[in-house]
Amino acid sequence: MATVLAVVLQQDGGLPSWAGEVVTCAAQAARETGWEVQVAVVGPAGAGQPAGAPAGTASPAGPFSPARLGRAGARKVWQVAVPGSGDGSGAEDQEPVPAVADRLVRLLEALARRLEPAAVVLRGDAVGACVAPRLAWRLQAACVTDVVGVRSSPGGPGWVRPMYGGKAMAVWVSRRPCTVVAVRPRAFSGEPVEQPSEPSSGQAAAAELPVEVLALELPQQATARVRCVERRPAPAQEVRLEDARVVVSGGRGIGGPEGFQQLQELARLLGGAVGASRAAVDAGWVPATLQIGQTGRIVAPELYVAVGISGASQHLAGISGARHIVAINRDPEAPIFHAAEVGVVEDWRRVVPLLIQRLREHKAGEVGR
């Protein structure tokens, strides 16, 4: 039976919050083709099972719970250690993305050659964007990036990705024996996906899903391709931008870096994170790590508040997954209003302070009860 392999990178010895998204995408492809879903949980050597453990050794749960992967559609889980990646302390997370990608692409190449999957599904974040095309080239496979859905197709799964800034959707079908797929972050809900072949025993199987350790021998790389010459820490937020349920973003209309201090306060009261448009980043008002859009970060919060953002197609492509959009802009013709559920035509300097005041009063009232 052909398989689709979902790749999940461990974080702090456990599964990241986005693990279900990648497995759900793989499960939807399997539902259309009859393939089996397998998951490779990749972590540093020394985390959970040792890297030298014999292949095929079963682990009852490992350092994470396999039931979550099973509920999302997985039928087999491989635990794979990255040789030379540290002791599981998390120090490897401080390495520059290209350095992590260099090591990961060699590991996934060896893994794919051993398991021979019909598709390899990665998360299309900074690491996945570096790994996917390089892995596809090494495997002589097809590569489809920015995938947001899966459809039935006579030639195999049809990978859906947006085109022209999200104005159209294209369905890509691969003719290669293997396809490397990079999934747009937050495009899949991560909710459990039923497998028609096991409608009654799926949940029971998920609870008992074994984890098998897989040891891989990798050729040593003669010289390091990437050298870190400087590290600049990104400004910390209470909530990560990609995981935030509420995002408050500012654009050119904010007028300067001082206005983002008010947006920070509004985001804090809403329990969310602050983002920005490319215009605000190019102006130097906020760091590039906050940029949202086609060339920045893709977000899909419950609530997206766009303040002083006109709504260029590239920015709208980055927030297409938002459930509710509120726009504040003094230009009634701004394109952002076509995407917004609620629009306020007013200068943000009059609206945002009032929102902050009301939220403070509301929170003070809750505390006094």
Side-chain angles (χ1 to χ4, degrees), residues 249-263 276-277 279-281 283-286 307-309 328-330 347-349:
S249 282
R252 192 193 308 274
I254 294 297
E258 300 80 10
F260 277 88
Q261 296 178 6
Q262 293 193 51
L263 300 191
S277 69
V281 171
W285 301 341
V286 292
V307 184
I309 295 177
I328 303 172
N329 199 302
R330 62 183 181 183
D347 191 324
W348 71 271
R349 295 174 183 83

Side-chain angles (χ1 to χ4, degrees), residues 92-107:
E92 67 280 352
D93 293 337
Q94 303 303 316
E95 293 182 284
V97 167
V100 176
D102 267 356
R103 191 164 53 240
L104 186 59
V105 73
R106 291 186 294 135
L107 179 80

Side-chain angles (χ1 to χ4, degrees), residues 174-222:
S174 170
R175 295 181 179 179
R176 294 293 182 99
C178 180
T179 305
V180 178
V181 176
V183 178
R184 174 185 285 194
R186 305 295 293 274
F188 291 84
S189 66
E191 296 296 327
V193 176
E194 272 190 30
Q195 293 288 1
S197 58
E198 298 180 1
S200 58
S201 61
Q203 291 188 350
E208 303 172 0
L209 194 67
V211 178
E212 296 188 22
V213 177
L214 188 60
L216 298 172
E217 294 293 333
L218 301 183
Q220 293 295 323
Q221 193 163 291

